[in-house]
């Protein structure tokens, strides 16, 4: 008996030692916007998965620990958008969106390779104060990107072909293994939905539930879709103003006057910088106007001010538009995009699927063609572009006013994923539906409900609160009374 007891104790000691060796080396850390202490970890990954003995990079992640002592074994993994945003930098707003999960589940924020702390591919971290010409003029942008490309290629991890979504999915599974989670729940936002779909495709047995907020599937062809969907969102702004009697009165024939302004370009314009206040002289083209409009269209609140700002522009004052563009840039919130990672993804995954140039091409599409001509291009497997039937419940969320990932993408993906997918469209929402207050409970119940059929069946009723949210009224200045003219 004594010998058996000694063997038992030895076995327990060996198991404890093995467990200690397998446990991730998480260290206490503080994240912006998070009141409580988080746990930060990292995993070493080969830069090129085909050369495991070659250069390695460090993929960083942060764990927001569950409050309960007996927590659920399946954490929630969050993937940021862009492509190029850092999940860890978004810790504050994400902890609010997923607050209910933190009662019983860990929330894991992974800085995808090329972003945040994980071998970052940063082009410019001070665009908010950079001269307007550098931010918006196509020629200046091309020069800045060329300088950035040269800088990035000189980095120790400067093989820009190794930053694709399929490779990043392998990093995600490495984090899962290090944390010892048999299955995880995935929440992806915008481009993060593409990463979530790829993790589901490569590792279906390790995924329990998936939430896709603003669906950007692998076969979307981002530059082409951006151009088409932005124009649709702008048409919605014009139509919304025309349907509103007050807006129609204050901004008569706005659509026609805006078209006349674009037709008059290019021209020299003096504009005060929205951050520095300095007067700057720059050449304004139709492409510059399209670039300035893009950001505010993402948010219905900012888009509600576009009729006023566009009216001002037709009268020679571009400052309101520049101010809205800056407000939408996210720079003040620390959520900038690592443009080196952005182009590494788009040039590898989307640019090869662009149709040949034809006629008068959209300026945004032309810009991506130009950049991707010289950008090192990774390769992805043909299966990456497929959307096999979902083996687990998937919740897809779309905003009806979204200029980047509108419902048409979610509808197609939901159909491909099959009976285990549910698509919720919030007609008056923009880019990002999960942040709406009542949608936080929808996400929580979808993931937390143990029975798959029950989780899927309750989605429509739970999401009714968001579907009924009205659109913001067109903005009117406090001193406005009657027609603008």
């Amino acid at each position: 008996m004594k010998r058996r007891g000694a063997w038992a104790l030895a076995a327990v000691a060996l198991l404890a030692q093995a467990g200690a060796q397998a446990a991730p080396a998480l260290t206490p850390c503080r994240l912006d916007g998070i009141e409580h202490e988080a746990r930060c970890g990292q995993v070493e990954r080969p830069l090129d998965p085909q050369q495991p003995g070659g250069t390695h990079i460090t993929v960083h992640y942060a764990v927001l620990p569950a409050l309960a002592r007996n927590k659920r074994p399946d954490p929630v993994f969050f993937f940021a958008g862009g492509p190029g945003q850092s999940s860890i930098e978004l810790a504050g707003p994400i902890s609010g969106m997923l607050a209910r999960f933190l009662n019983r589940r860990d929330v894991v924020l992974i800085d995808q390779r090329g972003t945040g702390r994980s071998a970052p591919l940063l082009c410019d971290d001070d665009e908010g104060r950079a001269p307007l010409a550098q931010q918006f003029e196509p020629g200046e942008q091309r020069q800045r990107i060329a300088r950035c490309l040269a800088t990035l290629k000189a980095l120790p991890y400067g093989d820009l072909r190794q930053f694709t979504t399929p490779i990043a999915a392998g990093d995600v599974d490495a984090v899962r293994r290090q944390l010892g989670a048999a299955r995880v729940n995935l929440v992806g936002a915008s481009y993060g939905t593409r990463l979530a779909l790829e993790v589901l495709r490569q590792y279906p047995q390790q995924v329990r539930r998936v939430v896709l907020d603003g669906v950007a599937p692998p076969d979307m062809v981002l530059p082409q879709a951006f151009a088409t969907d932005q124009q649709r969102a702008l048409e919605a702004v014009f139509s919304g103003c025309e349907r509103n009697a007050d807006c129609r009165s204050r901004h008569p024939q706005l659509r026609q006057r805006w078209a006349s302004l674009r037709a008059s370009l290019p021209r020299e314009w003096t504009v005060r910088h929205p951050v520095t206040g300095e007067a700057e002289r720059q050449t304004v083209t139709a492409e510059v106007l399209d670039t300035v409009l893009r950001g505010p269209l993402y948010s219905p609140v900012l888009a509600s001010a576009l009729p006023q700002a566009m009216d001002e522009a037709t009268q020679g004052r571009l400052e309101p538009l520049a101010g809205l563009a800056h407000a939408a840039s996210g720079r003040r919130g620390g959520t900038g995009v690592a443009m080196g990672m952005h182009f590494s993804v788009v040039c590898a995954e989307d640019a090869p699927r662009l149709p040949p140039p034809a006629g008068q091409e959209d300026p945004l599409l032309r810009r991506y063609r130009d950049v991707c001509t010289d950008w090192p291009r990774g390769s992805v497997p043909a299966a990456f572009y497929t959307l096999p039937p979902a083996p687990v419940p998937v919740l897809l969320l779309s905003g009806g006013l979204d200029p980047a990932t509108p419902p048409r993408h979610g509808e197609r993906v939901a159909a491909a994923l099959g009976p285990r997918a549910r698509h919720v469209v919030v007609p008056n929402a923009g880019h990002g539906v999960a942040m709406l207050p009542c949608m936080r409970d929808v996400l929580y119940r979808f993931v937390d409900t143990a029975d798959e059929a029950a989780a899927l069946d309750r989605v429509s009723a739970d999401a009714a609160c968001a579907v009924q949210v009205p659109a913001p009224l067109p903005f009117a200045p406090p001193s406005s009374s009657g027609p603008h003219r």
Side-chain angles (χ1 to χ4, degrees):
M1 293 295 293
K2 289 184 178 179
R3 179 172 293 183
R4 285 185 182 178
W7 276 108
L9 290 173
V12 169
L14 287 172
L15 286 172
Q17 182 179 6
Q21 292 173 346
L26 296 177
T27 57
C29 59
R30 290 287 180 178
L31 305 180
D32 288 344
I34 302 293
E35 181 179 354
H36 301 290
E37 194 172 68
R39 299 288 185 269
C40 288
Q42 58 191 52
V43 59
E44 296 299 312
R45 297 288 295 161
L47 177 63
D48 181 354
Q50 302 303 316
Q51 299 184 31
T55 300
H56 277 62
I57 62 171
T58 303
V59 173
H60 290 258
Y61 62 93
V63 178
L64 309 183
L67 299 176
R69 180 173 298 177
N70 297 319
K71 64 184 179 182
R72 303 289 188 192
D74 48 296
V76 175
F77 278 28
F78 175 81
F79 305 142
Q85 279 191 313
S86 158
S87 291
I88 294 177
E89 288 181 6
L90 290 169
I94 296 309
S95 68
M97 183 180 80
L98 303 179
R100 287 198 65 184
F101 289 104
L102 289 170
N103 290 326
R104 298 293 300 275
R105 283 183 172 86
D106 291 343
V107 172
V108 181
L109 311 176
I110 303 174
D111 270 354
Q112 185 174 338
R113 58 168 60 199
T115 75
R117 308 173 186 178
S118 302
L121 299 177
L122 298 172
C123 281
D124 188 347
D125 60 359
D126 195 25
E127 287 187 12
R129 301 186 66 87
L132 294 175
Q134 182 174 324
Q135 295 184 51
F136 298 121
E137 287 189 6
E140 290 282 349
Q141 288 181 339
R142 283 192 291 270
Q143 293 180 27
R144 181 164 53 87
I145 291 171
R147 292 193 298 268
C148 176
L149 176 58
T151 300
L152 296 179
K153 289 169 70 173
L155 292 171
Y157 50 86
D159 184 354
L160 304 182
R161 300 171 300 173
Q162 309 303 328
F163 291 84
T164 64
T165 306
I167 294 176
D171 298 339
V172 170
D173 196 61
V175 172
R176 179 197 63 79
R177 294 196 307 271
Q178 190 178 82
L179 290 174
R183 300 176 80 194
V184 296
N185 306 285
L186 309 178
V187 178
S190 192
Y191 160 75
T193 65
R194 178 181 289 193
L195 178 56
L197 286 167
E198 179 63 6
V199 172
L200 179 63
R201 185 187 71 82
Q202 289 193 39
Y203 308 99
Q205 300 302 316
Q206 283 70 51
V207 177
R208 177 178 172 273
R209 300 281 163 85
V210 182
V211 177
L212 307 175
D213 184 19
V215 187
D219 60 349
M220 181 179 179
V221 190
L222 287 174
Q224 186 179 31
F226 281 168
T228 300
D229 295 330
Q230 177 176 333
Q231 185 58 37
R232 290 181 179 177
L234 181 58
E235 288 296 320
V237 170
F238 285 130
S239 299
C241 184
E242 290 162 357
R243 288 193 302 268
N244 182 280
D246 182 58
C247 187
R248 187 171 63 247
S249 174
R250 285 185 291 108
H251 311 298
Q253 298 183 316
L254 180 60
R255 187 192 300 264
Q256 292 81 359
R257 289 188 288 121
W258 183 257
S260 296
L261 170 62
R262 292 181 89 259
S264 71
L265 302 175
R267 57 190 267 199
E268 290 291 314
W269 221 314
T270 299
V271 186
R272 288 198 175 275
H273 195 290
V275 177
T276 67
E278 297 291 329
E280 299 181 9
R281 191 75 175 169
Q282 72 171 107
T283 301
V284 176
T285 64
E287 182 175 354
V288 168
L289 283 187
D290 292 344
T291 302
V292 174
L293 282 176
R294 188 168 301 119
L297 287 170
Y298 276 63
S299 164
V301 172
L302 294 179
S304 70
L306 278 176
Q308 177 69 32
M310 295 167 77
D311 195 325
E312 296 273 356
T314 65
Q315 300 177 65
R317 296 184 291 274
L318 280 181
E319 285 80 5
L321 269 181
L324 285 176
H326 176 72
S329 68
R331 286 281 166 180
R332 292 180 297 177
T335 57
V337 170
M339 292 305 296
M341 183 272 196
H342 180 92
F343 288 122
S344 294
V345 168
V346 174
C347 293
E349 299 170 13
D350 299 89
R353 299 170 67 87
L354 286 172
Q360 187 69 23
E361 194 166 51
D362 180 88
L364 177 64
L365 185 53
R366 187 170 63 248
R367 178 194 176 199
Y368 275 97
R369 283 194 198 277
D370 291 344
V371 171
C372 291
T373 297
D374 299 319
W375 203 270
R377 182 174 295 180
S379 60
V380 295
F384 168 67
Y385 296 107
T386 63
L387 291 168
V392 298
V394 180
L395 174 60
L396 303 92
L397 308 174
S398 299
L401 303 178
D402 189 344
T405 56
R408 70 186 184 99
H409 303 294
E411 291 169 1
R412 182 171 58 80
V413 173
L417 294 178
R420 285 180 165 174
R422 295 293 184 273
H423 184 210
V424 174
V425 178
V426 181
N428 293 315
H431 190 60
V433 171
M435 283 291 187
L436 295 175
C438 74
M439 288 302 298
R440 301 174 187 181
D441 289 339
V442 176
L443 266 63
Y444 173 77
R445 288 191 287 266
F446 174 75
V447 172
D448 195 60
T449 300
D451 183 76
E452 289 189 357
L456 292 167
D457 288 344
R458 68 183 303 168
V459 164
S460 295
D462 287 348
C465 58
V467 172
Q468 298 168 8
V469 170
L473 293 174
F475 169 79
S479 60
S480 175
S481 60
H484 184 69
R485 299 192 177 284

